[in-house]
Amino acid sequence: WARHDIKKGDRNTIITSYNRNFTGRNDGNPATHGFVASPEVVTAMAFGGSTNFNPMTDTITAPSGKPFKFSAPNGLELPTRGFDAGAETYQAPPTDRSQVSVQVSPESQRLQLLAPFKPWNGSDIENVPVLIKVKGKCTTDHISMAGPWLKYRGHLDNISNNMLIGAINSENGEANNIRNQVTGEFGAVPAVARDYKARSIPWVVIGDENYGEGSSREHAAMSVRFLGGAAVIVKSFARIHETNLKKQGLLPLTFNNPKDYDLIAPEDKLSILGLKTLTPGKALTLRVTKPSGETHDIVVDHTFNENQITWFHAGSALNHIAKVNNA
């Protein structure tokens, strides 16, 4: 990430041999374009130093002044004697773990011990605010950006400061600028979420089509849960992100009629009814309360199976696993 050969905003190209080929992936520079090629081509291009270099036809001037041309790569597809498995490095945990403790400095900005999320309180979710009504495409990178933020992957509190900062707010068409429904002031998405959390107010995200597409980024679900989110209600989910939300004890719900997305305004209060009888295949009711006091009910669907419902009740999949193992 500490590149010194170009300035941020300078157009350039990076060619790699692994499958991360979107803009800005390698250095956080939106003007850096990434392309994927074979290891042989990547090596040749590193010597060529330019995307204009064609290793099949072009030559490079050697230090001696003579032209050098790469030979076509050749070799065995697989090692003739198979792969060396290497040394066995796995260390089994001790039988008695009562004396084992993991020590992390409270001053660390990159590591933080996780505290279990609270289990479901046994009640429906009633009259909670919409944190943000997302307009248009919202990938996991919009929900939890990568780049410089990756250094906080081990610190949930710090990395949560990027939560939904790339999502477009339907109220004003802007990113990272939403209205705090308690104070009436506009602020950054994570800051407003933290204010609600400090007031013990759960909140809901409203999203568009294929919400959460992209890489399987756990923090895109963990940060929403950590900052007090209760549910994410969208027209449709990217499958893996939907499962990630379930694993963190959140409610990923979809509008039975996608057009009902248009019936919700950012200033509305929402209730999710029917949680006490949450059952696979049984829809829930989303009650929308307008500032005028007018209410209307919307049918929302879920894809929870029996096992995933235990995650919701326990507060997360990890909580459920710990409960079962300690039983």
Side-chain angles (χ1 to χ4, degrees):
W1 293 99
R3 291 184 66 186
H4 304 291
D5 55 328
I6 62 166
K7 293 182 294 185
K8 193 165 186 176
D10 288 349
R11 297 181 63 186
N12 71 108
T13 293
I14 289 178
I15 304 174
T16 61
S17 59
Y18 55 91
N19 63 341
R20 285 293 182 270
N21 64 329
F22 48 86
T23 299
R25 173 61 175 84
N26 293 283
D27 60 0
N29 181 358
T32 298
H33 293 281
F35 297 90
V36 177
S38 68
E40 294 84 358
V41 169
V42 170
T43 302
M45 296 301 287
F47 282 96
S50 168
T51 53
N52 293 323
F53 178 69
N54 182 351
M56 297 178 64
T57 59
D58 297 347
T59 60
I60 299 171
T61 302
S64 64
K66 295 181 180 180
F68 167 81
K69 184 175 181 298
F70 284 105
S71 301
N74 62 84
L76 300 170
E77 285 292 322
L78 296 171
T80 55
R81 293 184 296 172
F83 291 98
D84 183 349
E88 178 58 68
T89 57
Y90 173 71
Q91 295 182 11
T95 303
D96 179 12
R97 306 185 197 181
S98 61
Q99 302 303 313
V100 176
S101 64
V102 178
Q103 296 184 353
V104 175
S105 169
E107 305 300 319
S108 175
Q109 294 300 303
R110 301 185 69 163
L111 292 176
Q112 179 188 44
L113 293 177
L114 290 173
F117 293 135
K118 292 181 179 179
W120 176 53
N121 63 8
S123 301
D124 287 335
I125 296 166
E126 298 191 38
N127 292 316
V128 300
V130 176
L131 177 72
I132 179 173
K133 182 180 179 182
V134 178
K135 178 182 178 181
K137 188 173 184 177
C138 189
T139 70
T140 49
D141 207 49
H142 292 90
I143 305 167
S144 182
M145 288 186 177
W149 291 96
L150 292 180
K151 62 177 174 285
Y152 299 125
R153 280 179 294 188
H155 199 294
L156 183 56
D157 195 10
N158 281 346
I159 201 170
S160 293
N161 286 323
N162 74 1
M163 187 198 71
L164 286 161
I165 63 175
I168 300 302
N169 180 11
S170 67
E171 185 175 2
N172 54 17
E174 298 178 9
N176 203 28
N177 189 23
I178 62 172
R179 188 191 304 272
N180 185 317
Q181 302 302 331
V182 175
T183 66
E185 299 176 351
F186 278 83
V189 181
V192 174
R194 289 183 185 276
D195 184 65
Y196 290 160
K197 182 179 180 180
R199 300 173 189 267
S200 299
I201 300 174
W203 44 263
V204 172
V205 172
I206 302 297
D208 215 317
E209 297 278 5
N210 203 26
Y211 182 92
E213 67 175 296
S215 58
S216 175
R217 196 165 295 171
E218 290 285 341
H219 291 100
M222 293 182 72
S223 294
V224 171
R225 180 74 158 100
F226 177 72
L227 292 186
V232 179
I233 308 172
V234 301
K235 293 180 181 179
S236 64
F237 280 106
R239 179 181 56 82
I240 294 177
H241 184 64
E242 181 182 19
T243 302
N244 285 347
L245 291 170
K246 293 177 184 178
K247 288 193 294 183
Q248 304 306 330
L250 286 151
L251 288 167
L253 306 174
T254 55
F255 296 106
N256 182 268
N257 180 356
K259 292 182 179 179
D260 287 342
Y261 165 91
D262 298 321
L263 300 179
I264 298 175
E267 66 270 17
D268 293 343
K269 293 292 180 63
L270 305 179
S271 299
I272 301 172
L273 310 177
L275 294 180
K276 294 179 181 179
T277 56
L278 182 61
T279 306
K282 182 179 180 181
L284 297 170
T285 298
L286 177 67
R287 179 159 296 162
V288 182
T289 302
K290 297 293 182 180
S292 64
E294 176 191 358
T295 65
H296 57 266
D297 291 350
I298 292 173
V299 177
V300 288
D301 298 321
H302 67 85
T303 60
F304 280 95
N305 58 36
E306 290 286 0
N307 187 52
Q308 292 168 344
I309 290 173
T310 65
W311 301 349
F312 171 69
H313 289 163
S316 72
L318 279 178
N319 286 0
H320 174 66
I321 292 170
K323 182 179 179 180
V324 170
N325 289 340
N326 292 330

